[in-house]
Amino acid sequence: MRKFVCLGLAAAMAASLTACGGSSSSGTATTAAATQAASGTGTETAAGDAEGSAAAEGGVIKLGVMGPLTGPAAAYGVAVVNGADLAVKEINAAGGINGIQIELNAQDDEHDPEKAVNAYNTLKDWGMQMLVGATTSKPCIAVAAESEADNLFQITPSGSAVECAAADNVFRVCFSDPAQGTASAQYIGENKLATKIGIIYDSSTEYSAGIRESFVAEAASQGLEIVADEAFTADTNTDFSVQLDKVKEAGAELLFLPIYYQEASVILKQASDKEFAPIIFGVDGMDGILSVKNFDPSLAEDVMLLTPFSATEEGSKQFTADYVAAYGIEPNQFAADSYDAVYAIKAAAEKAGITADMDASAICDAMKTAMTEISIDGLTGDGMTWDAAGETGKAPKAVKIVNGVYEMQ
């Protein structure tokens, strides 16, 4: 198991995974969780049957988690639920948060802001004291407005729009959109991948438009020339012929795609049909492209993306093995982000002296300060810290897809 360190708490956090993901009862818990949540019934996991003798000693902290468990963005939400579930099982097996067990409830927001608020309210009615989520930016912005009004602690694994963490009760594990765009331009420039850059982005999402804006702002200082800058919207995301023709005619050596994996898979197929083969460089939303149904993974060969996690790097191997054993699929960055989010909660809750009988607002007040005082070595970064604005400090990393496997660069 990856060791997490927070102000001398490493020993308390280290745990055997035998009781966490290997048994049949725990190994399928979140698969069942995703199914139940998607059907509208929700689910409570992790503390489960242990909410008797073990939970009686220190009580139970109720932790909500939410994301799209159905629909085109489900690969993100299911990964977030699974990552949180695995971390909760490890923490509970190791004694919890200073003896407090964690009970997890997963809800489906269907990647829709209105449904995300409904999911949040369902969790609040259940008695949620802290929240991991939302997973995607638009739902996260909507939920953050609710959690701010309630003064409820929220940490999003992957809500990268600036507005997601604008409130002082919201923290995030991933980089913000501007940080991703800036880091991508810096990586391309510093590694001299190309000088003539084409961009295809989704102007209808804060996520894509925000990354593109900061990328363009940084490009000139990196000696990059934007030769084509083409937009699409959610209503025009199935045919990219016009955009690809313009990028190709402009002589782009590298195509920057600050978009989600579904659209990226279509672009790669259509680019191949046009015999257009620039370097492809994406961001974290492209993580999951190899899992797209009916997509030829050979089309993603040599694709690069800015992501803090690779399932095959040395520090991730135990997590990957346990995740595959529990959920039957290899983890992506979203699973790792969520896993780190739960361990950050543990570290901050122990630093703050959280007790199970505290209400959500009191917990939130304590967590706001404690989050700025911890440091953890996580799957998505070593020495991860957070500032009062909710932003994480960690070095950006990129991977290349080689023979269907992520290779950290």
Side-chain angles (χ1 to χ4, degrees):
M1 173 180 153
R2 184 76 175 259
K3 297 296 189 293
F4 287 73
V5 183
C6 171
L7 304 177
L9 296 173
M13 293 185 192
S16 167
L17 299 180
T18 305
C20 305
S23 70
S24 60
S25 60
S26 60
T28 59
T30 300
T31 302
T35 301
Q36 292 175 24
S39 67
T41 60
T43 187
E44 299 169 24
T45 69
D49 295 338
E51 193 185 345
S53 58
E57 295 180 12
V60 171
I61 288 284
K62 290 191 171 185
L63 179 64
V65 57
M66 58 189 295
L69 305 181
T70 57
Y76 303 140
V78 171
V80 162
V81 172
N82 287 348
D85 183 61
L86 184 58
V88 164
K89 287 172 180 170
E90 292 178 6
I91 291 168
N92 282 346
I97 297 174
N98 284 337
I100 305 169
Q101 293 286 286
I102 305 171
E103 185 176 357
L104 195 69
N105 187 323
Q107 293 293 325
D108 184 12
D109 66 26
E110 301 181 45
H111 186 44
D112 178 271
E114 183 177 348
K115 291 175 181 177
V117 172
N118 292 339
Y120 173 84
N121 286 330
T122 296
L123 290 169
K124 193 168 73 167
D125 290 344
W126 167 70
M128 170 177 60
Q129 292 161 288
M130 291 186 275
L131 173 65
V132 174
T135 297
T136 49
S137 287
K138 280 189 175 182
C140 192
I141 293 168
V143 168
E146 301 296 319
S147 70
E148 180 184 21
D150 293 331
N151 196 38
L152 185 142
F153 179 79
Q154 178 181 349
I155 182 167
T156 172
S158 48
S160 56
V162 172
E163 298 88 342
C164 289
D168 67 357
N169 65 301
V170 186
F171 293 74
R172 72 172 122 223
V173 175
C174 66
F175 290 117
S176 68
D177 292 342
Q180 284 202 70
T182 300
S184 294
Q186 291 171 343
Y187 189 93
I188 292 167
E190 291 170 2
N191 289 278
K192 303 186 185 305
L193 299 183
T195 55
K196 294 184 177 182
I197 312 298
I199 303 172
I200 298 178
Y201 72 102
D202 184 351
S203 61
S204 64
T205 70
E206 292 89 347
Y207 171 79
S208 187
I211 296 176
R212 173 258 173 203
E213 183 178 0
S214 59
F215 180 90
V216 170
E218 177 65 20
S221 64
Q222 295 297 323
L224 307 179
E225 179 186 2
I226 308 299
V227 297
D229 189 11
E230 303 300 318
F232 66 91
T233 68
D235 296 325
T236 60
N237 65 354
T238 57
D239 186 353
F240 301 94
S241 296
V242 172
Q243 293 93 333
L244 285 167
D245 286 342
K246 289 183 178 180
V247 172
K248 183 178 182 180
E249 290 166 5
E253 303 160 334
L254 182 147
L255 177 56
F256 180 56
L257 298 176
I259 58 178
Y260 292 130
Y261 65 88
Q262 301 95 330
E263 293 89 352
S265 68
V266 178
I267 288 174
L268 292 181
K269 174 63 169 64
Q270 294 179 355
S272 176
D273 291 343
K274 293 176 177 292
E275 298 184 346
F276 180 38
I279 297 169
I280 303 293
F281 196 99
V283 289
D284 62 1
M286 276 180 64
D287 193 2
I289 192 167
L290 296 177
S291 66
V292 174
K293 187 176 181 180
N294 299 323
F295 175 70
D296 179 0
S298 69
L299 296 175
E301 188 70 6
D302 294 329
V303 164
M304 299 185 70
L305 59 150
L306 196 76
T307 178
F309 173 75
S310 169
T312 58
E313 65 178 319
E314 188 61 36
S316 302
K317 288 182 177 178
Q318 187 62 59
F319 167 76
T320 298
D322 295 325
Y323 189 97
V324 171
Y327 313 112
I329 188 173
E330 191 170 275
N332 59 20
Q333 174 215 317
F334 293 84
D337 281 337
S338 184
Y339 183 89
D340 284 353
V342 175
Y343 270 98
I345 284 175
K346 171 181 168 61
E350 291 183 333
K351 176 69 177 176
I354 298 299
T355 58
D357 59 356
M358 294 171 66
D359 65 27
S361 182
I363 288 174
C364 187
D365 287 338
M367 292 288 285
K368 289 175 188 176
T369 299
M371 282 292 294
T372 67
E373 298 174 341
I374 64 169
S375 174
I376 67 170
D377 289 338
L379 293 167
T380 65
D382 293 332
M384 293 170 62
T385 58
W386 284 266
D387 61 24
E391 304 294 351
T392 184
K394 58 184 176 183
K397 298 185 286 187
V399 300
K400 178 186 284 189
I401 298 175
V402 179
N403 295 322
V405 176
Y406 285 5
E407 288 189 357
M408 194 64 67
Q409 300 301 290

